Amino acid sequence: MKKLFALFLTVVMAISMAACGGGGGTTEDEGTPAPDTETPYIAIVSKGFQHQFWQVVKKGAEQAAVDLGVEVTFDGPPSESDINIQVDMLKNAMTKNPAAIALAALDTNAVLEQLNEAMNKGIPVVGFDSGVPNAPAGSIYATASTDNYAAAELAAEELFKAEAFQAALKSGNPVTVGVLSQDATSESITKRTAGFVDKLKELVEGADGFAGAVEVKGHTNYAKAATSAAKLTIIVNVPATPSAADMKSGADTLLATSGLVAIYGSNEGAANGILAASTDGSDFNKDNGKFKDILAIGFDAGKTQKTAVTNGWFYGSITQDPYQIGYQAVKLAVDALNGTAAPNPPIVDTGAKFYTKDNISDPSIDELVYE
């Protein structure tokens, strides 16, 4: 009888605990904490995931989520050619009823259905990195990305400040700067070329004795005649294709130009072409390199370019700020949720930095310079 009574008490206590929730709650996925329905959820879908660049974007987004009190997920396909995988990721994000979406689209046409669905449901979409080019009107709240023209201007400013470049200008001899540009159609590449050319021309022509003395040659998109005897010639070389072989050939041509004092590659592909034409940059060695009197400036990063900068073979390179790209994407999404008017223009510059052998190891630069 005592055993039966004890068993009865055990059953009653178990039922009581279950009714009071004493056993703890889980979502449908066993072991996963129940979602906080009070916290806005933002789905982030990038153009990639495994590359270090995207990992830094993710880091910035996650910090913004902590600072701004939202939840985020960060997804991206294995490579930037996996359009269908990205579409599936965006579809999956939509099933979770996000408060907002941050998207770096691989192919805008491939995600039109999801963009229209988001508009119909009142879900704001923020673009980041390259954003969502040519998206339907009203479908994108704002975009967090690098101002490529301003980033290229920074490269020109750093070259102009270089002692060796100033010495070349003051030598009395006509000098040449080469610009290797991957193509003449991509918006990001053309801005990274035009920003450098325009700013360098402005800076040099503003110096004593150089008014109107800069000419730009090599490609009709950028050509500008000097209004007096040319003391600086900027030559823009756009190879036939963006292939590695053609980029190297373009760099070879520029490096063989008489009077060349500097060369600039307007993206990672162009920088790689310069590296390939200079024995991975070692030919710019200031002690005994074949091109020791030429200043080389690159864009973005990559293992070989990092090595060239670290060794002082490249004078320096421009890096985007992927951390701020992620951070600002989440901030813009929160602004949209709060009803804040979209910025005008609706593109928020996430900045760029110039890295050299002297600062490449600084924490503020190190995480931005990927391999």
Side-chain angles (χ1 to χ4, degrees):
M1 188 66 175
K2 289 182 178 179
K3 290 182 179 180
L4 287 174
F5 183 73
L7 179 60
F8 173 77
L9 287 178
T10 300
V11 172
V12 170
M13 290 176 65
I15 293 173
S16 176
M17 288 179 65
C20 295
T26 61
T27 62
E28 292 179 359
D29 297 325
E30 186 175 354
T32 302
D36 180 358
T37 56
E38 299 299 319
T39 304
Y41 160 57
I42 299 169
I44 304 173
V45 181
S46 76
K47 293 168 68 174
F49 187 78
Q50 294 178 340
H51 198 288
Q52 185 181 343
F53 178 90
W54 296 113
Q55 289 301 311
V56 179
V57 173
K58 180 174 182 283
K59 184 177 179 181
E62 290 175 340
Q63 184 59 55
V66 172
D67 293 348
L68 302 173
V70 296
E71 291 184 0
V72 299
T73 55
F74 191 102
D75 293 304
S79 76
E80 295 185 22
S81 62
D82 295 320
I83 296 173
N84 291 335
I85 294 177
Q86 187 191 53
V87 173
D88 288 340
M89 288 176 168
L90 185 56
K91 288 179 179 178
N92 183 56
M94 293 293 292
T95 66
K96 299 176 183 177
N97 298 315
I101 295 170
L103 174 65
L106 289 171
D107 183 340
T108 300
N109 289 330
V111 296
L112 288 177
E113 179 183 341
Q114 289 70 44
L115 291 175
N116 286 317
E117 180 184 353
M119 279 198 294
N120 291 335
K121 291 183 175 180
I123 301 172
V125 178
V126 167
F128 67 97
D129 187 49
S130 59
V132 190
N134 303 313
S139 64
I140 306 299
Y141 171 78
T143 299
S145 66
T146 303
D147 183 331
N148 288 296
Y149 190 92
E153 287 184 310
L154 175 59
E157 289 166 352
E158 293 294 338
L159 173 61
F160 184 73
K161 291 189 299 185
E163 290 183 9
F165 184 73
Q166 285 293 320
L169 288 178
K170 295 173 183 177
S171 68
N173 300 317
V175 295
T176 300
V177 171
V179 177
L180 187 62
S181 188
Q182 181 171 290
D183 63 61
T185 56
S186 167
E187 182 179 12
S188 63
I189 302 301
T190 56
K191 286 187 175 180
R192 292 180 186 182
T193 303
F196 179 84
V197 170
D198 293 347
K199 177 55 73 171
L200 187 61
K201 185 175 187 297
E202 173 194 325
L203 291 170
V204 173
E205 290 192 336
D208 289 342
F210 283 84
V214 178
E215 63 178 351
V216 185
K217 302 168 60 176
H219 196 281
T220 55
N221 283 13
Y222 311 100
K224 294 177 182 177
T227 57
S228 62
K231 297 180 180 180
L232 170 65
T233 299
I234 302 173
I235 300 178
V236 180
N237 186 304
V238 181
T241 76
S243 70
D246 280 350
M247 297 308 291
K248 177 182 181 299
S249 178
D252 284 333
T253 298
L254 288 173
L255 289 168
T257 303
S258 176
L260 189 74
V261 297
I263 186 169
Y264 162 71
S266 61
N267 75 330
E268 186 173 357
N272 286 340
I274 296 171
L275 289 163
S278 60
T279 319
D280 289 344
S282 63
D283 288 339
F284 294 108
N285 186 304
K286 299 310 172 190
D287 293 325
N288 53 17
K290 179 180 178 182
F291 305 126
K292 65 180 181 179
D293 296 324
I294 298 174
L295 298 172
I297 294 178
F299 209 110
D300 288 328
K303 185 174 182 179
T304 306
Q305 189 173 176
K306 283 180 64 176
T307 298
V309 172
T310 300
N311 289 333
W313 302 335
F314 266 32
Y315 179 66
S317 291
I318 295 289
T319 179
Q320 301 178 75
D321 192 335
Y323 184 92
Q324 280 300 316
I325 289 174
Y327 194 101
Q328 293 300 324
V330 173
K331 184 179 183 302
L332 285 171
V334 172
D335 287 346
L337 293 177
N338 290 336
T340 305
N344 185 24
I347 298 179
V348 174
D349 180 19
T350 52
K353 295 181 179 180
F354 188 70
Y355 66 98
T356 69
K357 64 182 179 64
D358 296 323
N359 69 0
I360 192 171
S361 297
D362 292 353
S364 62
I365 295 291
D366 181 61
E367 69 175 358
L368 309 181
V369 185
Y370 56 85
E371 293 189 354

